[in-house]
Amino acid sequence: MKRILFTTVSLGVLGLMSPALGADLSPYIKAPAAVSPMYDWSGFYIGVFGGGGFGNHNLNNALGPAGFANFTINYDSTGAIAGGEAGYNVQSGNIVVGVEGDGFWSGIKGSDRTQFNAGTLPIGSWDATSLRNGATLRARGGIAVDRLLLFFTGGWAYGNFQHINTDPVLGIDQFSTHRSGLAAGGGIAYAVTDNLIGKFEYRYYDFGRYVRSAPLNGQLPYTVDNTYSVITVGLDFKFGGPVVAKF
C-alpha cells in the first residue's frame, strides 16, 4: 500500500514539473550568425582614365643659373591627359598588392613666350615643351576596407617629348626626344559593382633631363629637366573575383 502511494505521488510531481521543463526546451534551433560579404580585390582588370596635369621645366645653358635659382630659364605647362591601363591584384586579409601598366596620350604643353614678350628672359629666344605621350609600369600596394581601397604606386615611366626653340631672327629649332624616368603616386578606388571600379588618382612623374647639344638655329647648347603632376579619374573592369565570406 505504501509503495502504491509513493508511486502515485512521484508521478504527480513529475506531471507538475513537465510544463516547466518544456518551457526551458525551445522547439527552435538558434540560427547561426549572419554572414557579411567582403569584396575581393584579387584578379585581372582593364580600364580607362582621364584628367589634367601640370609640368615644370628648368632650362640651363652656358649662361648658368639666374640669381639664386637652379636654372637659367623656368616655365610651366598645362593640359589634358587620357589613356588606358591593365593590371593584376592579389589580396591577403585587408592588404592588396599588384602590378599595373598604362599608356597615355598627353596634351600638356607650355612655353616661356610670355616672359620673352615681357623682356625678362636672359636670352633672345623662347622655348616650348610638349609631352606627347608615354607609358608606365608600376607596383601597387594598398589597404582594403571592403569595397574601398587606399593605394600607393611607384615604378618606371616613359615620355615622348617635342621641344621647340624659336629665335625671331635665326629661326626655329624643333626636335623630338624620349626619356625614361620615375612615376609615383596614390589614390582611392571604390568597387561600384563586383566588376566596375571607379578611382581617383594623383601621380608624379620625373622624366629627368634631355640635352640639345647643337641647336640648328645657332643658340647655345642647353638642357631641360622635366617634372609633372597629374590628377585623373578612371573606371576599371575587373574579371572574376567574387565576394568572399567574412564571419
Side-chain angles (χ1 to χ4, degrees):
M1 187 65 180
K2 291 181 180 180
R3 184 174 297 172
I4 293 173
L5 180 60
F6 178 77
T7 302
T8 301
V9 172
S10 298
L11 291 174
V13 171
L14 288 174
L16 293 174
M17 292 177 63
S18 59
L21 292 173
D24 292 337
L25 298 176
S26 173
Y28 303 102
I29 299 175
K30 187 177 181 180
V35 177
S36 174
M38 181 176 67
Y39 187 75
D40 183 9
W41 288 88
S42 300
F44 289 97
Y45 62 90
I46 59 173
V48 294
F49 61 89
F54 170 88
N56 185 264
H57 313 277
N58 289 342
L59 184 150
N60 280 280
N61 64 16
L63 296 177
F68 294 101
N70 62 344
F71 50 78
T72 305
I73 298 168
N74 173 266
Y75 56 97
D76 299 329
S77 60
T78 58
I81 189 170
E85 63 196 8
Y88 182 76
N89 288 322
V90 176
Q91 182 172 355
S92 177
N94 66 337
I95 302 300
V96 178
V97 296
V99 62
E100 182 177 279
D102 70 80
F104 62 85
W105 163 88
S106 168
I108 304 175
K109 55 187 177 181
S111 75
D112 54 8
R113 177 69 182 270
T114 301
Q115 299 175 61
F116 175 84
N117 291 340
T120 59
L121 292 183
I123 62 177
S125 63
W126 67 86
D127 291 86
T129 297
S130 174
L131 175 60
R132 309 290 295 277
N133 51 65
T136 72
L137 181 62
R138 295 163 285 102
R140 293 211 317 168
I143 300 175
V145 183
D146 196 9
R147 291 180 175 269
L148 181 68
L149 176 66
L150 307 177
F151 64 88
F152 299 93
T153 184
W156 170 81
Y158 165 85
N160 177 24
F161 295 85
Q162 181 185 74
H163 188 94
I164 302 173
N165 176 269
T166 303
D167 187 301
V169 177
L170 300 177
I172 295 174
D173 177 43
Q174 177 176 318
F175 64 94
S176 294
T177 186
H178 314 286
R179 291 295 307 162
S180 287
L182 300 175
I188 301 173
Y190 185 80
V192 182
T193 70
D194 290 348
N195 299 106
L196 290 179
I197 301 170
K199 70 177 182 180
F200 175 85
E201 184 171 0
Y202 165 81
R203 204 176 295 171
Y204 176 81
Y205 299 93
D206 186 343
F207 290 107
R209 173 180 298 176
Y210 59 79
V211 179
R212 190 60 168 171
S213 56
L216 300 179
N217 60 351
Q219 302 301 305
L220 291 172
Y222 59 89
T223 65
V224 184
D225 296 282
N226 306 273
T227 60
Y228 292 84
S229 291
V230 172
I231 295 177
T232 60
V233 293
L235 185 66
D236 294 333
F237 181 88
K238 185 170 75 72
F239 298 91
V243 295
V244 296
K246 177 184 178 182
F247 293 91

